[in-house]
Amino acid sequence: LRASSSVGVPFAYDIRGFSELTRVLSDPQYRNAPGFQAKRLAEKFVIQRANVCCIIDSRIAQLSPSIPGDAVVVPNSYIVTEPRLATQLEVRPQTESSEFRAQLSYAGSLHSYEGLDLLLCALHLLRYEGLDVKLDLVGGHVLGATSSTAALSRLKRIAKQYRIDDLVTFYGSVPPHAAEGVIRESTLFIVPRLSNLITESVPPIKT
């Protein structure tokens, strides 16, 4: 904004999400903190002075009354089509001589709304059903009071409690090319997000 003002060129503001609202999901008291209001006011200040606002999804306008009605939707690196849902995942019961048939993968943040607790629970149920499935979990980013290390350690504890720690490989934060390699080797990429204001407004696929 300052740069565009100094040289006299139009200013476009790209809105991809609101970190203060993301933090509220894991720390509800943060909504009453000075930092929350400061970020809201700063966002409003910039939006009001932009020549054009771009948003990654029309639904993101629900998150801020400051977003103008003529904001331009610019999809974030994915084609806007109806997703093709997998109707059946081919897996087979475990045997001593068989190799696993389903390699699942997740890559993203470790926020509670990503639904990783449910993903680990589902993996536990699949093992209980005798299905041969493994999971590669890539990611380490999280906002708020909980550190990335603490969030990852918590998921590892859950996996151990479910007795599936031998089925899950936790990679932590890795470079994008490494995450891409893990995803390409998987049978199915999982997006286990919970339903809330953020996940219903901001699409999960970013790259």
Side-chain angles (χ1 to χ4, degrees):
L1 176 58
R2 290 179 178 176
S4 66
S5 299
S6 64
V7 297
V9 298
F11 171 64
Y13 187 46
D14 186 20
I15 304 172
R16 294 172 172 264
F18 301 96
S19 61
E20 67 274 14
L21 294 180
T22 299
R23 181 168 176 177
V24 165
L25 291 179
S26 58
D27 181 12
Q29 296 302 318
Y30 182 67
R31 185 178 290 274
N32 301 318
F36 178 88
Q37 297 301 328
K39 287 187 175 183
R40 297 260 85 182
L41 290 174
E43 192 87 39
K44 181 178 180 180
F45 177 87
V46 175
I47 290 175
Q48 290 178 339
R49 285 157 179 78
N51 297 95
V52 61
C53 287
C54 301
I55 54 180
I56 60 175
D57 190 292
S58 59
R59 293 169 296 180
I60 202 173
Q62 303 175 45
L63 302 180
S64 173
S66 300
I67 296 177
D70 60 352
V72 180
V73 178
V74 181
N76 195 357
S77 300
Y78 73 101
I79 300 174
V80 184
T81 59
E82 288 297 322
R84 183 178 63 84
L85 302 179
T87 56
Q88 184 174 0
L89 178 63
E90 182 183 357
V91 293
R92 64 183 182 186
Q94 293 177 341
T95 65
E96 292 183 0
S97 60
S98 69
E99 297 181 356
F100 61 87
R101 292 290 302 277
Q103 179 68 54
L104 311 181
S105 68
Y106 167 84
S109 75
L110 303 184
H111 292 296
S112 58
Y113 63 72
E114 298 292 4
L116 299 179
D117 296 41
L118 291 180
L119 177 56
L120 295 176
C121 179
L123 194 64
H124 165 72
L125 295 177
L126 289 174
R127 162 167 272 186
Y128 180 79
E129 293 291 332
L131 300 179
D132 207 352
V133 180
K134 290 189 177 181
L135 170 67
D136 288 332
L137 199 152
V138 179
H141 177 67
V142 63
L143 292 173
T146 302
S147 69
S148 299
T149 301
L152 189 59
S153 297
R154 174 179 168 276
L155 292 173
K156 289 180 177 179
R157 288 196 302 271
I158 292 175
K160 190 171 184 179
Q161 291 170 358
Y162 281 137
R163 298 181 180 179
I164 56 170
D165 47 315
D166 59 318
L167 303 182
V168 186
T169 301
F170 292 93
Y171 287 85
S173 296
V174 301
H177 70 273
E180 181 181 358
V182 172
I183 294 172
R184 287 185 180 276
E185 292 298 321
S186 64
T187 308
L188 189 65
F189 180 74
I190 308 296
V191 183
R193 281 185 149 197
L194 304 178
S195 177
N196 56 49
L197 184 61
I198 295 293
T199 60
E200 295 294 335
S201 304
V202 181
I205 306 300
K206 299 294 181 64
T207 56

